[in-house]
Amino acid sequence: MGDPNAERLPSGGLEASVLAALWTAGGPLTPGQVQEALGTSHARTTVTTILSRLYEKGTVTRTRSGRGYAYLPAEDASGLTARRMHSELERNEDRGAVLSRFVSQLSDEDERTLRSLLEGGDR
């Protein structure tokens, strides 16, 4: 069962750590390699479960590696954040209200960046 004294991560923290390890690796990793990259006391079965859940969500892809799988992120961190934002937007019937509130809470710099993107500026 893992070390009872191991520090618990906040909800989604282990998923974020696993994704960070995959982004850093630059190539596919097996669950054992992810566990090693994390440098934590999480059991390999725990890491495998997290990778399987990320695969089911479409966040990572996998290819056969021996009797198991090696995993790669489906997109970079910016792409994942954008996908999450779209998902949240689609959950609300009043998209205009959500977008309005989002834009009203942007910093001046982020607002300038968004305005430039909407006007066809550099991406």
Side-chain angles (χ1 to χ4, degrees):
M1 206 137 132
D3 181 356
N5 298 318
E7 185 177 328
R8 286 195 53 85
L9 293 172
S11 179
L14 185 53
E15 282 189 4
S17 296
V18 166
L19 281 169
L22 291 172
W23 283 321
T24 300
L29 295 179
T30 64
Q33 292 168 322
V34 171
Q35 179 191 25
E36 186 176 309
L38 293 175
T40 65
S41 60
H42 294 291
R44 192 166 60 106
T45 54
T46 301
V47 173
T48 300
T49 298
I50 294 298
L51 287 165
S52 294
R53 288 179 183 163
L54 290 170
Y55 176 75
E56 289 168 6
K57 293 177 185 180
T59 307
V60 299
T61 60
R62 67 184 184 191
T63 56
R64 275 281 178 203
S65 177
R67 295 188 330 212
Y69 293 100
Y71 295 83
L72 274 171
E75 52 199 337
D76 64 13
S78 296
L80 178 59
T81 300
R83 183 161 38 124
R84 287 177 177 158
M85 291 169 67
H86 278 282
S87 177
E88 288 300 319
L89 186 59
E90 289 172 2
R91 291 181 190 176
N92 196 299
E93 291 181 22
D94 192 351
R95 296 169 72 107
V98 173
L99 287 168
S100 176
R101 175 113 4 125
F102 175 76
V103 169
S104 72
Q105 295 176 3
L106 290 175
S107 69
D108 290 344
E109 183 179 341
D110 287 342
E111 186 176 340
R112 283 190 295 275
T113 301
L114 180 59
R115 191 173 304 281
S116 173
L117 289 169
L118 291 171
E119 293 170 355
D122 292 331
R123 291 180 186 244

Short mmCIF file of all heavy atoms in Angstrom, two decimals, residues 26-75:
data_model
loop_
_atom_site.label_atom_id
_atom_site.label_comp_id
_atom_site.label_asym_id
_atom_site.label_seq_id
_atom_site.Cartn_x
_atom_site.Cartn_y
_atom_site.Cartn_z
N GLY A 26 10.43 14.04 -22.78
CA GLY A 26 10.62 14.23 -24.22
C GLY A 26 10.46 12.96 -25.03
O GLY A 26 10.75 12.95 -26.21
N GLY A 27 10.03 11.90 -24.42
CA GLY A 27 9.79 10.63 -25.11
C GLY A 27 8.90 9.76 -24.25
O GLY A 27 8.62 10.09 -23.10
N PRO A 28 8.43 8.65 -24.80
CA PRO A 28 7.51 7.80 -24.05
C PRO A 28 8.17 7.19 -22.81
O PRO A 28 9.35 6.85 -22.83
CB PRO A 28 7.11 6.71 -25.05
CG PRO A 28 8.05 6.81 -26.17
CD PRO A 28 8.73 8.13 -26.12
N LEU A 29 7.38 7.09 -21.74
CA LEU A 29 7.84 6.48 -20.49
C LEU A 29 6.89 5.38 -20.05
O LEU A 29 5.68 5.50 -20.19
CB LEU A 29 7.91 7.52 -19.36
CG LEU A 29 8.90 8.67 -19.47
CD1 LEU A 29 8.77 9.59 -18.27
CD2 LEU A 29 10.31 8.16 -19.62
N THR A 30 7.46 4.32 -19.51
CA THR A 30 6.66 3.26 -18.89
C THR A 30 6.27 3.72 -17.49
O THR A 30 6.87 4.66 -16.94
CB THR A 30 7.46 1.96 -18.78
OG1 THR A 30 8.56 2.18 -17.89
CG2 THR A 30 7.95 1.48 -20.15
N PRO A 31 5.29 3.08 -16.86
CA PRO A 31 4.94 3.45 -15.49
C PRO A 31 6.13 3.40 -14.53
O PRO A 31 6.28 4.28 -13.68
CB PRO A 31 3.87 2.42 -15.12
CG PRO A 31 3.21 2.09 -16.42
CD PRO A 31 4.34 2.10 -17.42
N GLY A 32 6.99 2.41 -14.69
CA GLY A 32 8.18 2.32 -13.83
C GLY A 32 9.10 3.50 -14.02
O GLY A 32 9.67 4.04 -13.06
N GLN A 33 9.26 3.95 -15.27
CA GLN A 33 10.11 5.11 -15.55
C GLN A 33 9.49 6.39 -15.01
O GLN A 33 10.19 7.27 -14.51
CB GLN A 33 10.35 5.23 -17.06
CG GLN A 33 11.22 4.10 -17.61
CD GLN A 33 11.22 4.06 -19.12
OE1 GLN A 33 10.20 4.31 -19.78
NE2 GLN A 33 12.38 3.75 -19.70
N VAL A 34 8.15 6.49 -15.09
CA VAL A 34 7.47 7.66 -14.51
C VAL A 34 7.66 7.66 -13.00
O VAL A 34 7.98 8.70 -12.41
CB VAL A 34 5.96 7.67 -14.87
CG1 VAL A 34 5.22 8.76 -14.10
CG2 VAL A 34 5.76 7.84 -16.38
N GLN A 35 7.49 6.51 -12.38
CA GLN A 35 7.68 6.39 -10.94
C GLN A 35 9.09 6.84 -10.55
O GLN A 35 9.27 7.61 -9.60
CB GLN A 35 7.45 4.95 -10.49
CG GLN A 35 7.65 4.73 -9.00
CD GLN A 35 7.67 3.26 -8.64
OE1 GLN A 35 8.00 2.40 -9.45
NE2 GLN A 35 7.32 2.97 -7.40
N GLU A 36 10.07 6.41 -11.31
CA GLU A 36 11.46 6.79 -11.05
C GLU A 36 11.65 8.30 -11.24
O GLU A 36 12.33 8.96 -10.44
CB GLU A 36 12.38 6.03 -12.00
CG GLU A 36 13.85 6.23 -11.73
CD GLU A 36 14.70 5.36 -12.65
OE1 GLU A 36 14.45 4.14 -12.74
OE2 GLU A 36 15.60 5.94 -13.29
N ALA A 37 11.04 8.86 -12.28
CA ALA A 37 11.16 10.29 -12.55
C ALA A 37 10.52 11.13 -11.44
O ALA A 37 11.00 12.22 -11.13
CB ALA A 37 10.53 10.63 -13.90
N LEU A 38 9.45 10.61 -10.85
CA LEU A 38 8.77 11.33 -9.77
C LEU A 38 9.62 11.38 -8.51
O LEU A 38 9.51 12.31 -7.72
CB LEU A 38 7.41 10.71 -9.46
CG LEU A 38 6.34 10.82 -10.54
CD1 LEU A 38 5.10 10.06 -10.14
CD2 LEU A 38 6.01 12.28 -10.82
N GLY A 39 10.43 10.35 -8.33
CA GLY A 39 11.28 10.30 -7.15
C GLY A 39 10.48 10.27 -5.86
O GLY A 39 10.89 10.84 -4.86
N THR A 40 9.33 9.65 -5.88
CA THR A 40 8.46 9.59 -4.70
C THR A 40 8.27 8.15 -4.27
O THR A 40 8.72 7.21 -4.92
CB THR A 40 7.08 10.19 -5.00
OG1 THR A 40 6.43 9.37 -5.97
CG2 THR A 40 7.19 11.62 -5.50
N SER A 41 7.56 7.98 -3.20
CA SER A 41 7.31 6.65 -2.69
C SER A 41 5.99 6.07 -3.21
O SER A 41 5.49 5.09 -2.66
CB SER A 41 7.29 6.68 -1.16
OG SER A 41 6.27 7.56 -0.72
N HIS A 42 5.42 6.65 -4.25
CA HIS A 42 4.18 6.11 -4.82
C HIS A 42 4.45 4.75 -5.44
O HIS A 42 5.44 4.55 -6.14
CB HIS A 42 3.61 7.04 -5.88
CG HIS A 42 3.15 8.35 -5.33
ND1 HIS A 42 2.07 8.47 -4.50
CD2 HIS A 42 3.65 9.60 -5.46
CE1 HIS A 42 1.91 9.72 -4.16
NE2 HIS A 42 2.87 10.43 -4.72
N ALA A 43 3.57 3.82 -5.18
CA ALA A 43 3.69 2.48 -5.75
C ALA A 43 3.53 2.55 -7.26
O ALA A 43 2.82 3.41 -7.79
CB ALA A 43 2.64 1.56 -5.14
N ARG A 44 4.19 1.63 -7.95
CA ARG A 44 4.07 1.60 -9.41
C ARG A 44 2.63 1.37 -9.83
O ARG A 44 2.19 1.91 -10.85
CB ARG A 44 4.98 0.52 -10.01
CG ARG A 44 5.10 0.65 -11.51
CD ARG A 44 6.22 -0.18 -12.06
NE ARG A 44 6.05 -1.58 -11.78
CZ ARG A 44 5.68 -2.48 -12.68
NH1 ARG A 44 5.49 -2.13 -13.92
NH2 ARG A 44 5.54 -3.73 -12.34
N THR A 45 1.88 0.60 -9.04
CA THR A 45 0.47 0.38 -9.38
C THR A 45 -0.32 1.69 -9.32
O THR A 45 -1.22 1.91 -10.12
CB THR A 45 -0.17 -0.67 -8.45
OG1 THR A 45 0.04 -0.26 -7.09
CG2 THR A 45 0.41 -2.05 -8.68
N THR A 46 0.03 2.56 -8.39
CA THR A 46 -0.62 3.87 -8.29
C THR A 46 -0.31 4.70 -9.52
O THR A 46 -1.20 5.31 -10.12
CB THR A 46 -0.18 4.61 -7.02
OG1 THR A 46 -0.49 3.82 -5.88
CG2 THR A 46 -0.82 5.98 -6.90
N VAL A 47 0.95 4.71 -9.93
CA VAL A 47 1.36 5.46 -11.12
C VAL A 47 0.66 4.89 -12.35
O VAL A 47 0.17 5.64 -13.20
CB VAL A 47 2.90 5.45 -11.28
CG1 VAL A 47 3.32 6.09 -12.60
CG2 VAL A 47 3.56 6.18 -10.11
N THR A 48 0.58 3.56 -12.44
CA THR A 48 -0.10 2.92 -13.56
C THR A 48 -1.57 3.31 -13.60
O THR A 48 -2.12 3.59 -14.67
CB THR A 48 0.05 1.38 -13.47
OG1 THR A 48 1.44 1.06 -13.49
CG2 THR A 48 -0.65 0.69 -14.63
N THR A 49 -2.21 3.37 -12.44
CA THR A 49 -3.63 3.76 -12.37
C THR A 49 -3.80 5.20 -12.86
O THR A 49 -4.71 5.49 -13.64
CB THR A 49 -4.16 3.62 -10.94
OG1 THR A 49 -4.08 2.25 -10.56
CG2 THR A 49 -5.60 4.11 -10.82
N ILE A 50 -2.93 6.09 -12.42
CA ILE A 50 -3.01 7.49 -12.85
C ILE A 50 -2.81 7.59 -14.36
O ILE A 50 -3.56 8.29 -15.06
CB ILE A 50 -1.95 8.36 -12.12
CG1 ILE A 50 -2.25 8.43 -10.62
CG2 ILE A 50 -1.85 9.76 -12.73
CD1 ILE A 50 -3.59 9.07 -10.27
N LEU A 51 -1.83 6.87 -14.90
CA LEU A 51 -1.60 6.89 -16.35
C LEU A 51 -2.82 6.34 -17.11
O LEU A 51 -3.19 6.88 -18.15
CB LEU A 51 -0.34 6.10 -16.69
CG LEU A 51 0.97 6.79 -16.32
CD1 LEU A 51 2.13 5.79 -16.35
CD2 LEU A 51 1.24 7.96 -17.24
N SER A 52 -3.43 5.29 -16.58
CA SER A 52 -4.63 4.72 -17.23
C SER A 52 -5.77 5.72 -17.23
O SER A 52 -6.49 5.86 -18.23
CB SER A 52 -5.06 3.44 -16.52
OG SER A 52 -4.08 2.45 -16.67
N ARG A 53 -5.94 6.43 -16.13
CA ARG A 53 -7.00 7.45 -16.07
C ARG A 53 -6.72 8.59 -17.04
O ARG A 53 -7.63 9.09 -17.70
CB ARG A 53 -7.13 7.99 -14.64
CG ARG A 53 -7.74 6.99 -13.69
CD ARG A 53 -7.83 7.55 -12.30
NE ARG A 53 -8.37 6.53 -11.39
CZ ARG A 53 -8.27 6.59 -10.09
NH1 ARG A 53 -7.67 7.61 -9.50
NH2 ARG A 53 -8.78 5.63 -9.34
N LEU A 54 -5.46 9.02 -17.11
CA LEU A 54 -5.11 10.07 -18.06
C LEU A 54 -5.34 9.62 -19.50
O LEU A 54 -5.77 10.40 -20.35
CB LEU A 54 -3.65 10.51 -17.86
CG LEU A 54 -3.37 11.28 -16.57
CD1 LEU A 54 -1.86 11.44 -16.36
CD2 LEU A 54 -4.05 12.63 -16.57
N TYR A 55 -5.08 8.33 -19.77
CA TYR A 55 -5.32 7.78 -21.10
C TYR A 55 -6.83 7.80 -21.42
O TYR A 55 -7.23 8.20 -22.51
CB TYR A 55 -4.77 6.36 -21.20
CG TYR A 55 -5.08 5.69 -22.50
CD1 TYR A 55 -4.40 6.04 -23.66
CD2 TYR A 55 -6.08 4.72 -22.58
CE1 TYR A 55 -4.70 5.43 -24.87
CE2 TYR A 55 -6.38 4.11 -23.79
CZ TYR A 55 -5.70 4.47 -24.93
OH TYR A 55 -6.00 3.88 -26.13
N GLU A 56 -7.64 7.40 -20.45
CA GLU A 56 -9.09 7.38 -20.65
C GLU A 56 -9.65 8.78 -20.91
O GLU A 56 -10.62 8.95 -21.63
CB GLU A 56 -9.79 6.75 -19.44
CG GLU A 56 -9.56 5.26 -19.34
CD GLU A 56 -9.99 4.67 -17.99
OE1 GLU A 56 -10.58 5.40 -17.17
OE2 GLU A 56 -9.70 3.48 -17.78
N LYS A 57 -9.02 9.79 -20.32
CA LYS A 57 -9.44 11.19 -20.52
C LYS A 57 -8.92 11.76 -21.83
O LYS A 57 -9.29 12.86 -22.23
CB LYS A 57 -8.90 12.07 -19.38
CG LYS A 57 -9.50 11.79 -18.04
CD LYS A 57 -8.83 12.69 -17.00
CE LYS A 57 -9.29 12.41 -15.59
NZ LYS A 57 -8.61 13.30 -14.61
N GLY A 58 -8.00 11.04 -22.49
CA GLY A 58 -7.41 11.54 -23.73
C GLY A 58 -6.25 12.49 -23.49
O GLY A 58 -5.79 13.16 -24.41
N THR A 59 -5.76 12.54 -22.27
CA THR A 59 -4.68 13.45 -21.91
C THR A 59 -3.32 12.90 -22.31
O THR A 59 -2.39 13.66 -22.58
CB THR A 59 -4.71 13.74 -20.39
OG1 THR A 59 -6.03 14.19 -20.04
CG2 THR A 59 -3.72 14.80 -19.99
N VAL A 60 -3.19 11.57 -22.34
CA VAL A 60 -1.96 10.93 -22.79
C VAL A 60 -2.31 9.89 -23.85
O VAL A 60 -3.44 9.43 -23.94
CB VAL A 60 -1.18 10.25 -21.62
CG1 VAL A 60 -0.76 11.26 -20.58
CG2 VAL A 60 -1.97 9.12 -21.00
N THR A 61 -1.31 9.53 -24.65
CA THR A 61 -1.45 8.42 -25.59
C THR A 61 -0.53 7.30 -25.09
O THR A 61 0.33 7.53 -24.24
CB THR A 61 -1.02 8.84 -27.01
OG1 THR A 61 0.35 9.26 -26.99
CG2 THR A 61 -1.89 9.98 -27.53
N ARG A 62 -0.72 6.12 -25.62
CA ARG A 62 0.15 5.02 -25.21
C ARG A 62 0.43 4.09 -26.38
O ARG A 62 -0.35 3.99 -27.31
CB ARG A 62 -0.47 4.24 -24.04
CG ARG A 62 -1.73 3.48 -24.39
CD ARG A 62 -2.31 2.83 -23.15
NE ARG A 62 -3.47 2.01 -23.52
CZ ARG A 62 -4.31 1.49 -22.66
NH1 ARG A 62 -4.13 1.69 -21.37
NH2 ARG A 62 -5.32 0.76 -23.07
N THR A 63 1.60 3.45 -26.28
CA THR A 63 2.00 2.44 -27.25
C THR A 63 2.51 1.24 -26.48
O THR A 63 2.98 1.36 -25.35
CB THR A 63 3.12 2.97 -28.18
OG1 THR A 63 4.21 3.41 -27.38
CG2 THR A 63 2.64 4.11 -29.05
N ARG A 64 2.43 0.09 -27.11
CA ARG A 64 2.92 -1.13 -26.47
C ARG A 64 4.41 -1.03 -26.20
O ARG A 64 5.18 -0.55 -27.02
CB ARG A 64 2.67 -2.35 -27.36
CG ARG A 64 1.31 -2.94 -27.21
CD ARG A 64 1.28 -3.76 -25.96
NE ARG A 64 -0.03 -4.33 -25.76
CZ ARG A 64 -0.48 -4.70 -24.59
NH1 ARG A 64 0.27 -4.60 -23.53
NH2 ARG A 64 -1.67 -5.21 -24.47
N SER A 65 4.78 -1.50 -25.03
CA SER A 65 6.19 -1.57 -24.64
C SER A 65 6.35 -2.84 -23.83
O SER A 65 6.02 -2.88 -22.65
CB SER A 65 6.58 -0.34 -23.81
OG SER A 65 7.92 -0.44 -23.39
N GLY A 66 6.79 -3.90 -24.50
CA GLY A 66 6.86 -5.19 -23.83
C GLY A 66 5.47 -5.70 -23.52
O GLY A 66 4.59 -5.69 -24.37
N ARG A 67 5.24 -6.08 -22.26
CA ARG A 67 3.91 -6.56 -21.86
C ARG A 67 3.01 -5.43 -21.38
O ARG A 67 1.85 -5.64 -21.10
CB ARG A 67 4.06 -7.59 -20.75
CG ARG A 67 4.77 -8.83 -21.22
CD ARG A 67 4.77 -9.94 -20.21
NE ARG A 67 4.76 -9.50 -18.82
CZ ARG A 67 5.32 -10.13 -17.82
NH1 ARG A 67 5.97 -11.24 -18.05
NH2 ARG A 67 5.26 -9.67 -16.60
N GLY A 68 3.55 -4.22 -21.32
CA GLY A 68 2.77 -3.07 -20.84
C GLY A 68 2.73 -1.97 -21.88
O GLY A 68 2.75 -2.22 -23.08
N TYR A 69 2.67 -0.74 -21.38
CA TYR A 69 2.56 0.42 -22.25
C TYR A 69 3.60 1.47 -21.87
O TYR A 69 4.06 1.53 -20.74
CB TYR A 69 1.18 1.08 -22.13
CG TYR A 69 0.05 0.23 -22.66
CD1 TYR A 69 -0.75 -0.51 -21.81
CD2 TYR A 69 -0.21 0.19 -24.02
CE1 TYR A 69 -1.79 -1.29 -22.29
CE2 TYR A 69 -1.25 -0.60 -24.52
CZ TYR A 69 -2.04 -1.32 -23.65
OH TYR A 69 -3.06 -2.09 -24.13
N ALA A 70 3.93 2.30 -22.85
CA ALA A 70 4.72 3.51 -22.62
C ALA A 70 3.80 4.68 -22.99
O ALA A 70 3.02 4.60 -23.94
CB ALA A 70 5.97 3.52 -23.48
N TYR A 71 3.88 5.74 -22.23
CA TYR A 71 2.94 6.85 -22.34
C TYR A 71 3.62 8.14 -22.78
O TYR A 71 4.76 8.40 -22.43
CB TYR A 71 2.26 7.09 -20.99
CG TYR A 71 1.40 5.93 -20.55
CD1 TYR A 71 1.95 4.82 -19.91
CD2 TYR A 71 0.03 5.93 -20.79
CE1 TYR A 71 1.16 3.76 -19.51
CE2 TYR A 71 -0.77 4.87 -20.39
CZ TYR A 71 -0.20 3.78 -19.76
OH TYR A 71 -0.98 2.73 -19.38
N LEU A 72 2.86 8.93 -23.55
CA LEU A 72 3.28 10.26 -24.01
C LEU A 72 2.14 11.23 -23.77
O LEU A 72 0.97 10.85 -23.92
CB LEU A 72 3.56 10.25 -25.51
CG LEU A 72 4.92 9.86 -26.02
CD1 LEU A 72 4.89 9.71 -27.53
CD2 LEU A 72 5.96 10.87 -25.61
N PRO A 73 2.43 12.49 -23.45
CA PRO A 73 1.35 13.47 -23.35
C PRO A 73 0.71 13.67 -24.73
O PRO A 73 1.41 13.68 -25.74
CB PRO A 73 2.03 14.75 -22.87
CG PRO A 73 3.46 14.44 -22.71
CD PRO A 73 3.73 13.05 -23.17
N ALA A 74 -0.60 13.82 -24.76
CA ALA A 74 -1.30 14.04 -26.03
C ALA A 74 -1.05 15.45 -26.56
O ALA A 74 -1.16 15.68 -27.76
CB ALA A 74 -2.80 13.81 -25.84
N GLU A 75 -0.74 16.38 -25.66
CA GLU A 75 -0.45 17.76 -26.07
C GLU A 75 0.41 18.43 -25.01
O GLU A 75 0.59 17.88 -23.93
CB GLU A 75 -1.74 18.53 -26.31
CG GLU A 75 -2.74 18.47 -25.17
CD GLU A 75 -4.14 18.86 -25.62
OE1 GLU A 75 -4.28 19.56 -26.63
OE2 GLU A 75 -5.08 18.45 -24.96
#
